[in-house]
C-alpha cells in the first residue's frame, strides 16, 4: 500500500535525526519539571482545582510534554515543510504524482508522529513517573484507549495544520498564520493550563473547540478524569473534529488545485 | 508501450494562458492586470520524438510544461497528451508521464535513494519485473550503484539529478518532460545525462520534451527545436533550419598562396576579415558553399580552406532579440 510506505518513510525520516531527538527529549523533560513544580505550587494553594487532585495535575503536565512533539503544536511539524513547498513552488512536483495530496501528507505526518510519540514521549513520561507521584492507570486497556485518543489527537492536529498550510496557496507567506495557529493550539489544547480550571463559560467553550482534542481529551483519558461513557464521548468528539477538519481541508485543497498558480519556477 | 511511432502524442492547438496579477497602484488601490504567459501556441509532437524547447527566461516554457502535465489549466485552446486532457485528467495522465525539474527534486530528502524508488514503485503500481528491469538499467547507465544507500541530502547536484531522472523513468512513461536537466552540472555529469537521454529516446522510444538554456543539450540530442519568446512560438523546425532561419552566416576561411587584397566580386559573399594570406568570407547559411569554393579556386591561388557553421547561440540570441524579421512559426508541414 502506497500510504503505508509513505507513513513508514515519515517515521524513518525523523528517526534518522538522533541528536535532534535527544535534544528534544532533554527539552521536554526540563519543561516537564518546570511545569510540574508550577502545578505543585498551584495545587498546594488550590487543592482540587478543576476537579484534579495533585497527582492528576502532574500527570496532565507530563502527558502534555509527552504529546507536544507528536501533535506538533509549537512548530508546524511535517506540515511546515508542505507550507514551504507551496511557497517556493516545489509543490508542483507533488502535484505531478498520481497520489492524493492530503492523504499523502496525512500518512507522512502519522509516521512522523508515531516516531515522536515513541522517541520523544516515552522518556519524559518515564522520568516524570520516577520523580513525581503520577495518577497513571494500572489496566492495559486504559493505556490502549489513551493511545487511541493520542492517535486521534495527531489526526486533528494534522487536519488543523493542513488548513494552515493550504492557506499558503492564497497567502503567499503563511508563516504569520502558522504562528497564530501555534499559539492557539498551545493555549486551547490545555498545554498552558488544563481547560477544566478556567471559569465556567470560557472553560466550557474552550473544551468544545477542536484544540481540546489535542491534549485535554487524551490527558483526561489517561489520568482517569474521563471514565466509561465519558471516554467514548471524548473519542467521538475527537473523531468528529477530525472528520470535519479533514473535509474542510479537502474542500480547500480542491479549490486551491483548481486555481493553482504555482509560484516561481 | 502502446501506439505506433509517428502518431501525434502531444497536441497543442491555439493554447493560451492568461494570469491575472494584482498590482499595487497607490496606497490601498490594487489594479488587476492580465499577463499573457502564452498565446496562440500550436504544435504537435509525434510519438518517439525528442524535441528541444527553448526560450529566454519568462518566455512561457515552464507554463507550457505545467499545462502539458495538467497542473495549470489553459485559459483557451485545445491540449491533448496521449489522448487525455491534462488538467481534467491530471492523475490518470500522471501515471503515463515522467517529469524532471532540474531545480526541484522528487526524491525523499532525508532517506536513501533506493527508498524513493521503492515509493515510486508503489505510487505508480509498477509490476515487479518491469520495476526491477528498469531500475537495473537506470542504475547501470547512470552509475547509481554506489549511491542507492546514500541519503539524498548527501548527494552532489549531479548525483541527485541522475537520481531524479531515474525516478522519473521507473514507471515506463510514454512522455518525459525535462525542465533544465543539466542546470548546474559539470561537463562529465552533463555528458552522462545526455547519453542516457539519447538511449532512453532511441531504445525505449520514449517521447522527450526538453527545456534548457544549454544549447549544447539541444545540439547533441534534438533534431527538432521549438523556440518560444514572449509566449509565442517563433520557430519550430529542424535544428539546422534554425541556423538558416536565424539568418546566420557561414564563414569560408581561405588560405591563399600569398597576401592579396580582399577578395571581392563573388556573388552572395563578402570578405569580413583579412590577415596575411588568410581571408574570411561570410555567406548566407542557407546557401551552398560549393559554387563559392569553386569561384574562389578559379580566380585565386588557393592553398587550403575550411567552413565554419554559424554559432547556434548567436542565432538564438538574434531570435530572442527579435532581430529576425519574418521568422514566425512555419506551418507544421510534413509533421
Amino acid at each position: 500500500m502506497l500510504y503505508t510506505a509513505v507513513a513508514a518513510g515519515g517515521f524513518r525520516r525523523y528517526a534518522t535525526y538522533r541528536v535532534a531527538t535527544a535534544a528534544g527529549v532533554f527539552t521536554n523533560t526540563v519543561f516537564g519539571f518546570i511545569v510540574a513544580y508550577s502545578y505543585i505550587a498551584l495545587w498546594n494553594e488550590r487543592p482540587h482545582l478543576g476537579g484534579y487532585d495533585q497527582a492528576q495535575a502532574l500527570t496532565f503536565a507530563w502527558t502534555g510534554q509527552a504529546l507536544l512533539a507528536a501533535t506538533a503544536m509549537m512548530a508546524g511539524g511535517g506540515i511546515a515543510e508542505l507550507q514551504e513547498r507551496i511557497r517556493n513552488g516545489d509543490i508542483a512536483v507533488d502535484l505531478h504524482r498520481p497520489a492524493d495530496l492530503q492523504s499523502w501528507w496525512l500518512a507522512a505526518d502519522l509516521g512522523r508522529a508515531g516516531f515522536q510519540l515513541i522517541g520523544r514521549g516515552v522518556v519524559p513520561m518515564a522520568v516524570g513517573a520516577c520523580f513525581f507521584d503520577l495518577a497513571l492507570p494500572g489496566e492495559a486497556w486504559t493505556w490502549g484507549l489513551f493511545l487511541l485518543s493520542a492517535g486521534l489527537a495527531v489526526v486533528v492536529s494534522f487536519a488543523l495544520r493542513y488548513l494552515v498550510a493550504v492557506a499558503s496557496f492564497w497567502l503567499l507567506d503563511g508563516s504569520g498564520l502558522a504562528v497564530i495557529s501555534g499559539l492557539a493550539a498551545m493555549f486551547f489544547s490545555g498545554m498552558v493550563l488544563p481547560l477544566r480550571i478556567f471559569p465556567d463559560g470560557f472553560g466550557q467553550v474552550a473544551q468544545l473547540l477542536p484544540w481540546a482534542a489535542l491534549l485535554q481529551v487524551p490527558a483526561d483519558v489517561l489520568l482517569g478524569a474521563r471514565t466509561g461513557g465519558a471516554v467514548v464521548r471524548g473519542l467521538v468528539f475527537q473523531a468528529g473534529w477530525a472528520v470535519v477538519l479533514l473535509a474542510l481541508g479537502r474542500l480547500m485543497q480542491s479549490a486551491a488545485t483548481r486555481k493553482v498558480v504555482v509560484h516561481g519556477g | 508501450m502502446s501506439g505506433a511511432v509517428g502518431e501525434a502524442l502531444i497536441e497543442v492547438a491555439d493554447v493560451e494562458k492568461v494570469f491575472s496579477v494584482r498590482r499595487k497602484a497607490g496606497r490601498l488601490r490594487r489594479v488587476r492586470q492580465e499577463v499573457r504567459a502564452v498565446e496562440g501556441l500550436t504544435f504537435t509532437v509525434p510519438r518517439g520524438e525528442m524535441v528541444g524547447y527553448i526560450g529566454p527566461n519568462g518566455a512561457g516554457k515552464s507554463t507550457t510544461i505545467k499545462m502539458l502535465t495538467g497542473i495549470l489549466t489553459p485559459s483557451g485552446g485545445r491540449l491533448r497528451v496521449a489522448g487525455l486532457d491534462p488538467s481534467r485528467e491530471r492523475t490518470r495522465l500522471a501515471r503515463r508521464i515522467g517529469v524532471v525539474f532540474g531545480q526541484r527534486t522528487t526524491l525523499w530528502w532525508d532517506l536513501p535513494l533506493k527508498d524513493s524508488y521503492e515509493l515510486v514503485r508503489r505510487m505508480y503500481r509498477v509490476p515487479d519485473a518491469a520495476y526491477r528491469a528498469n531500475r537495473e538499467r537506470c542504475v547501470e547507465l547512470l552509475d547509481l550503484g554506489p549511491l542507492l544507500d546514500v541519503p539524498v541530502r548527501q548527494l552532489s547536484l549531479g548525483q541527485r539529478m541522475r537520481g531524479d531522472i531515474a525516478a522519473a523513468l521507473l514507471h515506463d512513461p510514454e512522455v518525459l518532460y525535462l525542465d533544465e536537466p543539466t542546470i548546474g552540472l559539470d561537463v562529465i555529469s552533463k555528458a552522462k545525462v545526455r547519453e542516457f537521454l539519447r538511449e532512453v529516446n532511441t531504445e525505449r522510444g520514449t517521447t522527450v520534451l526538453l527545456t534548457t538554456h544549454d544549447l549544447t543539450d539541444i545540439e547533441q540530442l534534438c533534431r527538432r527545436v521549438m523556440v518560444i519568446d514572449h509566449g509565442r512560438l517563433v520557430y519550430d523546425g529542424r535544428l539546422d533550419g534554425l541556423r538558416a532561419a536565424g539568418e546566420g552566416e557561414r564563414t569560408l576561411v581561405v588560405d591563399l598562396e600569398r597576401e592579396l587584397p580582399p577578395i571581392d566580386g563573388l556573388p552572395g559573399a563578402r570578405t569580413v576579415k583579412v590577415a596575411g594570406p588568410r581571408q574570411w568570407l561570410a555567406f548566407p547559411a542557407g546557401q551552398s558553399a560549393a559554387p563559392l569554393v569553386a569561384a574562389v579556386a578559379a580566380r585565386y591561388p588557393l592553398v587550403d580552406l575550411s567552413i565554419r557553421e554559424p554559432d547556434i547561440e548567436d542565432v538564438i540570441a538574434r531570435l530572442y532579440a527579435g532581430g529576425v524579421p519574418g521568422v514566425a512559426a512555419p506551418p507544421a508541414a510534413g509533421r
Side-chain angles (χ1 to χ4, degrees), chain A residues 12-13 17 95-96 260, chain B residues 69 71 90 104 106 110 115:
Chain A
R12 269 180 296 128
R13 281 184 65 177
Y17 297 104
L95 291 173
H96 282 119
V260 280
Chain B
T69 55
I71 65 167
R90 177 163 56 85
R104 312 191 188 287
T106 54
D110 317 86
D115 288 22

Side-chain angles (χ1 to χ4, degrees), chain A residues 28-71:
Chain A
N28 286 142
T29 311
V30 169
F31 271 89
F33 276 101
I34 294 172
V35 178
Y37 281 117
S38 315
Y39 281 16
I40 289 176
L42 195 54
W43 261 262
N44 277 342
E45 279 303 304
R46 301 279 303 273
H48 300 289
L49 186 60
Y52 297 124
D53 60 28
Q54 188 166 302
Q56 286 179 315
L58 290 173
T59 311
F60 197 103
W62 286 101
T63 309
Q65 291 306 314
L67 290 183
L68 185 62
T71 53

Side-chain angles (χ1 to χ4, degrees), chain A residues 9-243:
Chain A
F11 186 97
R12 269 180 296 128
R13 281 184 65 177
Y14 281 83
T16 47
Y17 297 104
R18 299 209 177 113
V19 178
T21 305
V25 166
F26 179 74
T27 313
N28 286 142
T29 311
V30 169
F31 271 89
F33 276 101
I34 294 172
V35 178
Y37 281 117
S38 315
Y39 281 16
I40 289 176
L42 195 54
W43 261 262
N44 277 342
E45 279 303 304
R46 301 279 303 273
H48 300 289
L49 186 60
Y52 297 124
D53 60 28
Q54 188 166 302
Q56 286 179 315
L58 290 173
T59 311
F60 197 103
W62 286 101
T63 309
Q65 291 306 314
L67 290 183
L68 185 62
T71 53
M73 278 183 223
M74 301 228 303
I79 284 299
E81 192 187 337
L82 171 60
Q83 192 158 24
E84 178 59 19
R85 290 179 79 79
I86 295 172
R87 198 187 60 74
N88 68 21
D90 279 356
I91 192 73
V93 171
D94 303 340
L95 291 173
H96 282 119
R97 292 173 172 153
D100 176 62
L101 202 60
Q102 192 188 36
S103 314
W104 178 284
W105 285 93
L106 174 59
D109 201 53
L110 287 175
R112 174 201 62 80
F115 172 74
Q116 293 196 320
L117 195 60
I118 299 167
R120 290 192 48 187
V122 173
V123 174
M125 197 64 163
V127 171
C130 287
F131 285 85
F132 298 91
D133 186 18
L134 301 188
L136 294 174
E139 327 80 32
W141 57 272
T142 310
W143 281 101
L145 287 172
F146 165 70
L147 284 182
L148 181 61
S149 181
L152 286 167
V154 172
V155 177
V156 173
S157 144
F158 165 80
L160 284 166
R161 285 175 287 131
Y162 192 75
L163 289 178
V164 172
V166 172
S168 305
F169 274 112
W170 288 274
L171 293 177
L172 295 184
D173 184 4
S175 53
L177 191 62
V179 170
I180 293 170
S181 146
L183 287 174
M186 289 295 279
F187 186 80
F188 287 105
S189 64
M191 185 64 79
V192 177
L193 279 172
L195 299 178
R196 288 188 180 220
I197 74 172
F198 287 107
D200 264 359
F202 180 77
Q204 272 157 6
V205 171
Q207 288 190 59
L208 291 176
L209 299 176
W211 294 287
L214 304 190
L215 174 60
Q216 184 68 48
V217 175
D220 279 352
V221 171
L222 187 70
L223 56 82
R226 272 180 190 273
T227 47
V231 172
V232 177
R233 280 198 298 281
L235 294 175
V236 169
F237 167 80
Q238 288 182 299
W241 270 121
V243 169

